[in-house]
Structure formats: structure tokens, C-alpha cells
């Protein structure tokens, strides 16, 4: 008798009841809807929430991702939908893999993106390994991104809702991880659809606001967190014009980012000035006119390539790139210098390109994510 090769909604040749899915539950509406939807379809759902920092104290903020309230909310959803839920203490892993690097990067004058490192080093590494230890067939998350099958296997694509697309934060997902991951919300056209599903399932988090800040940074005050993590980090120094003039003093390089215009602490100048460079060694904040921020060549390291063929063979390939999560993508040309490094040549110069940010590659005229890497100093 031939085997039944009919694929379920997760793309696996098994009945939902025979398919175990670990759902990464943050306590927010997105991951809660994913868990509820899969449970309603009859899957063997196991919810897992990570306790990431400070046991809900010190750096934590009310309503921040994975704080005490969110763990409670995730547990309530699991109880109401009737599937098991576990809380795992990942505080030490999160501190070593995410928080410490965040602080050290800022001290080195970079502008880090800790949410990417969290996905890369915690959620899609350690949590994914835990899901496999639980004999799960796959792991599902509430991220707004799509996984589509292509000629060469699973591909990563932007979310259908461009306003919610999280591909910038997931570029480092490896092909092996992508084979195991599922993103059930990626095809939805709006967040309103997600909330409507939450209401339909009667979830207690249906109207819960989205978290806006980095989970361990209360009120977006990066400097305060870094000073707490690295006492004495905010050493004073000079604010210097690109032409060499000393314009004033500052209370610490960690209070500034490349491209910043407001809050520089220098007044009485007729033309607007921007942070051009942070010189950590001399504790100088270099400022100048906006045109000095413009650049067309960006050195990129730690590249994760999700395109076809080896990355080294992409010399001269045209792609779309995003250099910040809030900016639209623009046309660029790849010039690989190794399997994991490249110089990215922008067709149109960009301002505010900052070391520590991600440079994410997309296929032109397509939703496909081709990978990306980390912007470094030239």
C-alpha cells in the first residue's frame, strides 16, 4: 500500500495530530495566535517561553518582551488552548550572547542591533536545539516573514505585509535553520488580521499593545543601560568639527550615534551638523555637514548567504540592500572578498551608514531574502 505523502499545513507529510510543533511564545499577540491556530488545527503544540534577563527586575521594563507579565500571558494562552507550556531560564545565555556584546559594541562606537543577535544566537540556536530535544518536527514563531519552497529548497521571503516585515532582523537565519522553522503569520496582509484571529480564539492578549523598545532597554535609554552594565563607561571628551575645530564637550561617546543631528550639545552654529564619526580611542565625537555622511562603499563581514550557489561567485551581482531597518532598500552591487566578507557598492550614496548595523540583501524585483552581514569600519 503506498505511503500517504499529502503535506499538512506546515509542509510535513504527517497528520497534524502526529506532528509536534514547538512554538516560541513571547507572551505577545503574534506568537499567541500562532500557537492557538496550530492547536486549533489539531497539531501537537508545545509552547516555550524564554526567561531572558534579570528575573523580571533591574533592566526589565513592564510589558517588555519576556518580562514577568509576558510569561504570565503566554501561560494563560496555553492553559486556555489546552497545550503544555514551559518557561526556560536562558538568562546567562542571553547575557553572554546578546547583552554583553550590545554594551561592548556601543563602547566601541558601533550601533548594534541586539534583536538580530537574539534571533541568531538564542532563539534560532539554543531554543531550536531544545525543540529538537523535545522531538518536535518543527519550530514555529510569530515573526512576520515568509518561508517558501524554491527549486533548491526552502527560501526566506519578505512578509506579505510590508509594514510588518521583519526580514531585516532575520537575515542570519541559516539554510539548516530555515529547513526546521515555520512562520505562520508571514502571509497575512495586516496586523488587524492577526488581532482578529486572536479575538476569534478568545485569547486574553488580543488587544495587548506591541512592544516597541529593545526588551532589556527601558524607554529606549541605551546609555543608561550601558552605564549600568559597564560602570565608568561614559568618559567625557570633545566634540570636534571635521575641519579640526573644537566645538564643545560631551559627557560620553555612548550618548551619540553616527548620523545623529539633534541633542549634540553645541549651539550658536548657523548650519546643521551631524555626527560623522565616533573616535573611541580619543573620546572624540566628530561632527560635520550632512554631505560628509554620504557613502557608496560599505564593508560587510559575517555574511550569511541564502542565495543560489556559493557567495564567492556573486562578484558583480546586483541586489537590493537595506542598511537600517527603517530605511527602504536600494540597488547595490556585491563584491565578495571571501566566503563571509564583501564590499557592497551602493548605486546611490546613503547617509548615516553605521558600523554595527546590518546590511541585508534582497533579490531585485522579488520578495526573496538573499542573506546579509554586519557593517564594519572600512
Amino acid at each position: 500500500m503506498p505511503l500517504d505523502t499529502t503535506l499538512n499545513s506546515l509542509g510535513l507529510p504527517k497528520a497534524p495530530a502526529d506532528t509536534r510543533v514547538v512554538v516560541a511564545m513571547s507572551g505577545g499577540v503574534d506568537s499567541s495566535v500562532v500557537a492557538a491556530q496550530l492547536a486549533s488545527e489539531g497539531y501537537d503544540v508545545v509552547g516555550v517561553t524564554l526567561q531572558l534577563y534579570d528575573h523580571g527586575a533591574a533592566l526589565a521594563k513592564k510589558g517588555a518582551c519576556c518580562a514577568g507579565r509576558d510569561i504570565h500571558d503566554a501561560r494563560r494562552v496555553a492553559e486556555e488552548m489546552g497545550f503544555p507550556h514551559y518557561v526556560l531560564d536562558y538568562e546567562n545565555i542571553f547575557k553572554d550572547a546578546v547583552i554583553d556584546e550590545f554594551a561592548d559594541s556601543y563602547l566601541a562606537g558601533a550601533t548594534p542591533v541586539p534583536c538580530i543577535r537574539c534571533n541568531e544566537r538564542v532563539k534560532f540556536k539554543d531554543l531550536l536545539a531544545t525543540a529538537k530535544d523535545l522531538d518536535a518536527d518543527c519550530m514555529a514563531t510569530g515573526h512576520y516573514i515568509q518561508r517558501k519552497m524554491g527549486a533548491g529548497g526552502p527560501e526566506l521571503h519578505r512578509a506579505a505585509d510590508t509594514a510588518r516585515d521583519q526580514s531585516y532582523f532575520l537575515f542570519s537565519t541559516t539554510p539548516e535553520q530555515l529547513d526546521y522553522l515555520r512562520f505562520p503569520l508571514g502571509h497575512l496582509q495586516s496586523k488587524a488580521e492577526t488581532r482578529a484571529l486572536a479575538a476569534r480564539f478568545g485569547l486574553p492578549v488580543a488587544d495587548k499593545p506591541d512592544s516597541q523598545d529593545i526588551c532589556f532597554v527601558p524607554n529606549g535609554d541605551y546609555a543608561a543601560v550601558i552605564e549600568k552594565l559597564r560602570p565608568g563607561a561614559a568618559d567625557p571628551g570633545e566634540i570636534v568639527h571635521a575641519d579640526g575645530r573644537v566645538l564643545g564637550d560631551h559627557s560620553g561617546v555612548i550618548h551619540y550615534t553616527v548620523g545623529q543631528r539633534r541633542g549634540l550639545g553645541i549651539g550658536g552654529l548657523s548650519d546643521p551638523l551631524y555626527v560623522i564619526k565616533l573616535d573611541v580611542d580619543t573620546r572624540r565625537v566628530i561632527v560635520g555637514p550632512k554631505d560628509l555622511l554620504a557613502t557608496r562603499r560599505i564593508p560587510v563581514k559575517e555574511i550569511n548567504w541564502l542565495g543560489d550557489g556559493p557567495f564567492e561567485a556573486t562578484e558583480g551581482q546586483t541586489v537590493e540592500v537595506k542598511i537600517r531597518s527603517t530605511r527602504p532598500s536600494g540597488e547595490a552591487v556585491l563584491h565578495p572578498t571571501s566566503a563571509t566578507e564583501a564590499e557592497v557598492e551602493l548605486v546611490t550614496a546613503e547617509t548615516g551608514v553605521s558600523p554595527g548595523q546590518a546590511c541585508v540583501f534582497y533579490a531585485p524585483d522579488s520578495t526573496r531574502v538573499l542573506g546579509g552581514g554586519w557593517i564594519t569600519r572600512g
Side-chain angles (χ1 to χ4, degrees):
M1 185 175 177
L3 293 173
D4 182 5
T5 57
T6 303
L7 301 181
N8 60 33
S9 64
L10 294 175
L12 298 165
K14 304 170 75 172
D18 298 324
T19 305
R20 175 167 292 176
V21 187
V22 163
V23 179
M25 299 183 68
S26 68
V29 63
D30 298 324
S31 57
S32 295
V33 165
V34 168
Q37 177 74 55
L38 294 174
S40 73
E41 292 178 22
Y43 286 96
D44 177 11
V45 172
V46 178
V48 176
T49 301
L50 303 182
Q51 170 68 53
L52 294 179
Y53 54 90
D54 291 325
H55 302 297
L59 299 180
K61 169 190 173 184
K62 259 189 181 178
C65 167
C66 305
R69 178 76 211 176
D70 294 313
I71 291 172
H72 172 73
D73 288 342
R75 184 178 290 122
R76 285 178 64 201
V77 169
E79 288 174 353
E80 296 200 11
M81 295 302 299
F83 58 82
H85 174 258
Y86 301 97
V87 179
L88 304 181
D89 184 353
Y90 273 43
E91 184 173 333
N92 290 337
I93 293 172
F94 187 68
K95 182 179 184 301
D96 293 344
V98 179
I99 294 180
D100 283 344
E101 184 187 69
F102 171 82
D104 292 339
S105 294
Y106 252 99
L107 291 178
T111 309
V113 192
C115 297
I116 297 176
R117 289 302 197 193
C118 182
N119 290 325
E120 173 189 324
R121 296 176 174 178
V122 180
K123 292 176 182 174
F124 291 176
K125 184 182 178 185
D126 293 285
L127 179 55
L128 192 144
T130 297
K132 291 183 176 180
D133 288 341
L134 292 170
D135 293 325
D137 295 284
C138 62
M139 186 174 92
T141 80
H143 289 106
Y144 287 88
I145 194 166
Q146 298 187 83
R147 174 189 183 274
K148 297 183 178 182
M149 292 304 296
E155 298 174 352
L156 205 59
H157 286 254
R158 300 189 208 218
D161 179 4
T162 55
R164 306 292 305 181
D165 175 57
Q166 292 176 289
S167 59
Y168 182 86
F169 300 98
L170 296 169
F171 80 85
S172 60
T173 306
T174 66
E176 295 75 23
Q177 292 167 342
L178 190 56
D179 190 54
Y180 192 70
L181 289 164
R182 300 294 187 273
F183 308 106
L185 301 184
H187 69 287
L188 299 183
Q189 297 297 319
S190 71
K191 183 61 178 267
E193 287 187 54
T194 306
R195 293 200 181 276
L197 284 169
R200 194 180 92 194
F201 292 124
L203 301 183
V205 296
D207 297 319
K208 187 174 181 178
D210 293 336
S211 58
Q212 300 295 326
D213 298 324
I214 294 171
C215 65
F216 60 90
V217 182
N219 305 314
D221 190 349
Y222 303 135
V225 169
I226 293 165
E227 287 184 83
K228 182 176 286 188
L229 293 166
R230 302 287 187 271
D235 292 330
E238 295 177 327
I239 300 174
V240 182
H241 195 283
D243 63 13
R245 288 177 291 151
V246 177
L247 302 179
D249 299 313
H250 65 77
S251 59
V253 171
I254 62 172
H255 296 283
Y256 299 84
T257 58
V258 172
Q260 179 179 336
R261 176 185 173 188
R262 300 184 185 280
L264 299 185
I266 47 176
L269 300 171
S270 57
D271 297 323
L273 296 177
Y274 298 78
V275 176
I276 306 299
K277 179 184 177 183
L278 300 174
D279 191 330
V280 177
D281 293 335
T282 63
R283 300 197 303 277
R284 284 185 159 190
V285 175
I286 313 299
V287 299
K290 189 175 183 179
D291 60 343
L292 291 183
L293 280 171
T295 185
R296 287 190 56 206
R297 291 186 172 269
I298 306 174
V300 180
K301 64 179 181 178
E302 294 181 52
I303 289 171
N304 177 57
W305 179 244
L306 294 172
D308 302 322
F311 179 69
E312 300 96 307
T314 63
E315 171 59 42
Q317 180 172 328
T318 299
V319 295
E320 296 283 321
V321 301
K322 279 174 74 83
I323 59 165
R324 282 186 186 266
S325 63
T326 54
R327 292 199 184 180
S329 56
E331 189 176 351
V333 179
L334 296 178
H335 300 292
T337 54
S338 75
T340 58
E341 297 173 303
E343 185 175 72
V344 175
E345 180 184 2
L346 303 176
V347 172
T348 303
E350 286 269 11
T351 59
V353 177
S354 177
Q357 293 282 302
C359 180
V360 181
F361 313 147
Y362 300 88
D365 303 315
S366 169
T367 60
R368 187 176 179 187
V369 183
L370 297 177
W374 295 94
I375 297 172
T376 186
R377 289 179 175 81

